[in-house]
């Protein structure tokens, strides 16, 4: 079967046209066999056609189907990683180099721009692991670049949680904590969703398989993991994300596409560490001994493996905290100068065009009010970073209205 949106052209990456969801429904894409879609776009990249649909069968979430030119007439098996957008009233699809930009109609400003990663490094790695299936990854578009997340590791009882709590208390609008998942039982004062997402082993194992986690590890015989969503929630709120994870987790994050700052916290001595763990009184004797045994190896790896950018000794708590603040560029700050990133308010009815790295979104609304507020939006996709689910950042924009002389918004 020959397929294509424009049969005269052999489209390659970056050359596919922009398609508005409703158009396909009305038969503009003649060669495409629709699978009962309500709103669908078909985007060609290389040998593949990515059909992004908001179907009646799976009415809640957007669904991706793929046709491969090399296997004519057959739908390819697709694994979709990451949190998907929910269905809306149609979308436009624009091919970028290694991803498809999705502009969603009638969506909230913080939910109108998504990316379907189809050929990023992360996706290619996942494809190698899932031979025989196509892997794609969903990621919400995030304006600007959030500051690098901070990974804090160190043996159990060294004081990571204590230091992080102080930081969060002193700079609540600047930092957000990545709430991990764990299969260990909650301690007396711990709250589900605040300290951890406490979960069952079989549930977490399934979620790991589904690609929900940025990293995970078995620590002191329990599973712990950082979900992509947990980090995303913090970054989307315009805050710097703090991860409290063990050395194995830090190693995984280091190997991932997430750019972070890695800090290892060391105890002054094993005796001090043991005293802190025992005084904390949260573990049984058997667990304390297990944690102390693991601490030895963690300290060796933390101080010698090259994973960490900085090592801090937590002897005197206040001194260690001051040193942590220095590393984070916070010495001398009382009130942090931080504002949340701006969101893009897409006009309800619009046309979309692409010139190099700029996407021009033009209001076609007949409503004077809407025209006044959002006439033309220019997205700049030249600095996109990421490629793993949930983490495509660096989108910039300018909103230009027809009634004022200049710009009325910027993502920078
Ligand atoms: N510099 C310090 N001097 C003395 N006690 C400390 C110091 N820092 C933290 N502590 C105490 O040590 C105990 C362990 O600290 P904390 O719970 O923060 O460790 P942690 O590294 O987060 O441990 P885990 O990895 O098990 O969660 C706590 O009771 C805390 O009050
Ligand atoms: N790899 C990961 N390690 C994590 C994560 N969340 C916490 N941790 C580490 O586990 C130990 C034990 O924590 P505790 O709360 O049971 O005392 C500690 O070293 C944490 O840093 C995670 O998501 N991934």
């Amino acid at each position: 079967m020959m397929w294509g949106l424009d049969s005269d052209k052999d489209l390659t990456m970056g050359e596919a046209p922009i398609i508005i969801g409703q158009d396909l429904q009305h038969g503009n894409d003649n060669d495409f066999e629709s699978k009962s879609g309500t709103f669908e776009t078909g985007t060609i990249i290389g040998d593949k056609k990515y059909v992004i649909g908001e179907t009646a069968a799976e009415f809640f979430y957007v669904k991706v189907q793929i046709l491969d030119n090399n296997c004519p007439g057959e739908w390819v098996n697709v694994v979709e990683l990451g949190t998907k957008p929910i269905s809306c009233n149609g979308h436009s699809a624009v091919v970028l180099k290694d991803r498809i930009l999705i502009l969603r109609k009638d969506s909230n400003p913080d939910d109108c721009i998504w990316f379907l990663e189809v050929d990023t490094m992360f996706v290619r790695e996942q494809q190698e692991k899932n031979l025989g299936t196509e892997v794609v990854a969903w990621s919400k578009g995030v304006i600007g670049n959030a500051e690098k997340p901070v990974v804090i590791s160190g043996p159990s009882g060294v004081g990571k949680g204590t230091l992080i709590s102080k930081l969060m208390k002193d700079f609540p609008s600047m930092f957000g904590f990545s709430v991990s998942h764990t299969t260990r039982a909650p301690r007396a004062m711990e709250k589900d969703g605040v300290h951890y997402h406490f979960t069952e082993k079989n549930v977490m194992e399934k979620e790991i398989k589904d690609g929900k986690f940025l990293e995970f590890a078995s620590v002191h015989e329990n599973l712990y993991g950082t979900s992509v969503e947990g980090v995303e929630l913090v970054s989307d709120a315009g805050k710097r994300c703090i991860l409290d994870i063990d050395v194995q987790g830090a190693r995984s994050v280091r190997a991932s596409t997430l750019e972070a700052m890695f800090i290892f916290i060391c105890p002054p001595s094993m005796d001090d560490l043991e005293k802190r763990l025992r005084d904390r009184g949260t573990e049984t004797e058997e667990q304390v001994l297990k944690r102390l045994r693991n601490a030895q190896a963690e300290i060796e790896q933390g101080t010698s493996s090259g994973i960490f950018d900085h090592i801090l000794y937590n002897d005197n708590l206040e001194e260690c905290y001051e040193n942590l603040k220095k590393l984070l560029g916070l010495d001398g700050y009382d009130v942090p100068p931080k504002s949340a990133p701006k969101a893009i308010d897409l006009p309800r009815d619009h046309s979309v065009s692409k010139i190099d790295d700029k996407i021009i979104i033009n209001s076609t609304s007949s409503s004077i009010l809407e025209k006044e507020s959002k006439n033309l939006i220019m997205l700049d996709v030249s600095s996109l970073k990421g490629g793993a689910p949930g983490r495509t950042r660096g989108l910039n924009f300018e909103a230009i209205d027809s009634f004022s002389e200049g710009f009325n918004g910027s993502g920078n």
Side-chain angles (χ1 to χ4, degrees):
M1 172 177 117
M2 272 288 292
W3 45 253
L5 298 160
D6 178 347
S7 53
D8 294 338
K9 278 189 192 158
D10 180 20
L11 291 166
T12 53
M13 268 190 204
E15 293 174 337
I18 290 149
I19 312 139
I20 308 295
Q22 289 92 325
D23 288 347
L24 292 183
Q25 185 197 358
H26 294 115
N28 289 6
D29 182 20
N30 296 329
D31 293 319
F32 169 59
E33 286 173 52
S34 170
K35 280 175 92 187
S36 72
T38 310
F39 301 116
E40 285 169 342
T41 52
T43 306
I44 297 171
I45 298 186
D47 276 343
K48 303 202 177 87
K49 180 173 190 171
Y50 296 83
V51 177
I52 303 173
E54 311 186 22
T55 61
E58 201 164 316
F59 71 97
F60 202 57
Y61 290 105
V62 170
K63 187 175 168 69
V64 179
Q65 296 168 95
I66 302 177
L67 284 169
D68 188 337
N69 209 6
N70 301 312
C71 313
E74 280 177 33
W75 293 98
V76 178
N77 223 351
V78 191
V79 175
E80 291 178 61
L81 301 178
T83 309
K84 297 164 150 212
I86 56 167
S87 285
C88 65
N89 270 339
H91 62 262
S92 313
V94 185
V95 176
L96 305 180
K97 202 165 124 270
D98 37 19
R99 46 175 67 100
I100 301 171
L101 165 71
I102 310 287
L103 299 166
R104 289 155 46 74
K105 217 177 156 191
D106 289 345
S107 299
N108 292 329
D110 69 344
D111 194 40
C112 60
I113 303 214
W114 283 72
F115 291 97
L116 183 70
E117 316 284 355
V118 300
D119 197 35
T120 53
M121 197 171 75
F122 172 84
V123 166
R124 283 199 297 270
E125 278 168 14
Q126 295 299 314
Q127 264 158 2
E128 275 170 27
K129 285 188 202 158
N130 290 271
L131 284 181
T133 57
E134 278 297 319
V135 178
V136 292
W138 281 105
S139 178
K140 202 192 265 192
V142 176
I143 310 294
N145 281 304
E147 278 190 273
K148 278 184 187 178
V150 184
V151 172
I152 299 189
S153 288
S156 177
V158 73
K160 302 178 297 294
T162 309
L163 289 162
I164 293 169
S165 298
K166 279 170 83 62
L167 203 60
M168 304 280 289
K169 186 166 162 275
D170 291 351
F171 302 95
S173 63
M174 203 178 229
F175 295 98
F177 186 60
S178 151
V179 180
S180 294
H181 285 59
T182 182
T183 59
R184 87 148 159 74
R187 292 175 188 144
M189 300 303 285
E190 284 179 333
K191 287 201 181 97
D192 189 27
V194 176
H195 298 95
Y196 279 105
H197 297 288
F198 295 100
T199 181
E200 297 298 324
K201 192 164 179 227
N202 59 342
V203 175
M204 189 156 165
E205 283 172 344
K206 158 104 180 38
E207 290 175 340
I208 289 171
K209 265 198 194 138
D210 291 346
K212 185 169 170 167
F213 288 91
L214 169 64
E215 65 76 31
F216 60 90
S218 171
V219 189
H220 317 312
E221 293 179 8
N222 280 300
L223 266 183
Y224 292 77
T226 307
S227 71
V228 172
E229 199 182 352
V231 177
E232 197 184 23
L233 276 175
V234 176
S235 306
D236 289 357
K239 296 185 182 183
R240 192 167 188 185
C241 187
I242 308 270
L243 286 75
D244 174 346
I245 60 179
D246 86 318
V247 174
Q248 305 168 75
R251 191 188 299 277
S252 302
V253 176
R254 185 54 115 178
S256 80
T257 52
L258 182 74
E259 281 184 64
M261 177 192 248
F262 294 78
I263 301 174
F264 187 76
I265 314 284
C266 230
S269 69
M270 285 306 284
D271 286 348
D272 283 285
L273 186 70
E274 181 168 356
K275 181 168 180 343
R276 287 179 199 177
L277 256 184
R278 290 193 188 286
D279 288 353
R280 188 171 72 181
T282 47
E283 267 68 39
T284 62
E285 177 60 20
E286 191 193 340
Q287 285 163 348
V288 167
L289 293 175
K290 190 183 294 160
R291 283 174 183 240
L292 286 172
R293 274 197 304 276
N294 293 341
Q296 201 77 53
E298 284 193 274
I299 294 169
E300 273 168 34
Q301 289 176 37
T303 51
S304 67
S305 61
I307 302 171
F308 294 92
D309 302 311
H310 307 279
I311 297 174
L312 289 180
Y313 283 85
N314 183 16
D315 188 353
N316 176 293
L317 181 62
E318 286 312 316
E319 271 174 29
C320 185
Y321 180 57
E322 286 308 311
N323 288 334
L324 175 64
K325 285 204 295 180
K326 269 192 203 137
L327 287 183
L328 300 174
L330 292 169
D331 39 340
Y333 268 129
D334 284 333
V335 181
K338 186 79 190 163
S339 59
K342 294 183 177 160
I344 298 172
D345 198 4
L346 278 190
R348 189 182 181 283
D349 299 310
H350 57 254
S351 63
V352 185
S353 51
K354 179 172 181 284
I355 303 171
D356 300 327
D357 281 335
K358 305 272 190 296
I359 313 294
I360 321 288
I361 304 162
N362 215 331
S363 171
T364 52
S365 170
S366 52
S367 147
I368 296 283
L369 267 182
E370 177 147 296
K371 264 198 171 303
E372 225 173 277
S373 61
K374 11 176 170 160
N375 194 45
L376 194 143
I377 292 170
M378 192 168 73
L379 292 183
D380 181 346
V381 293
S382 60
S383 317
L384 292 182
K385 289 203 185 83
R391 281 184 276 121
T392 303
R393 311 198 174 268
L395 189 64
N396 290 310
F397 77 102
E398 291 170 1
I400 306 162
D401 69 55
S402 57
F403 295 87
S404 79
E405 303 266 312
F407 305 135
N408 65 5
S410 165
N412 293 318

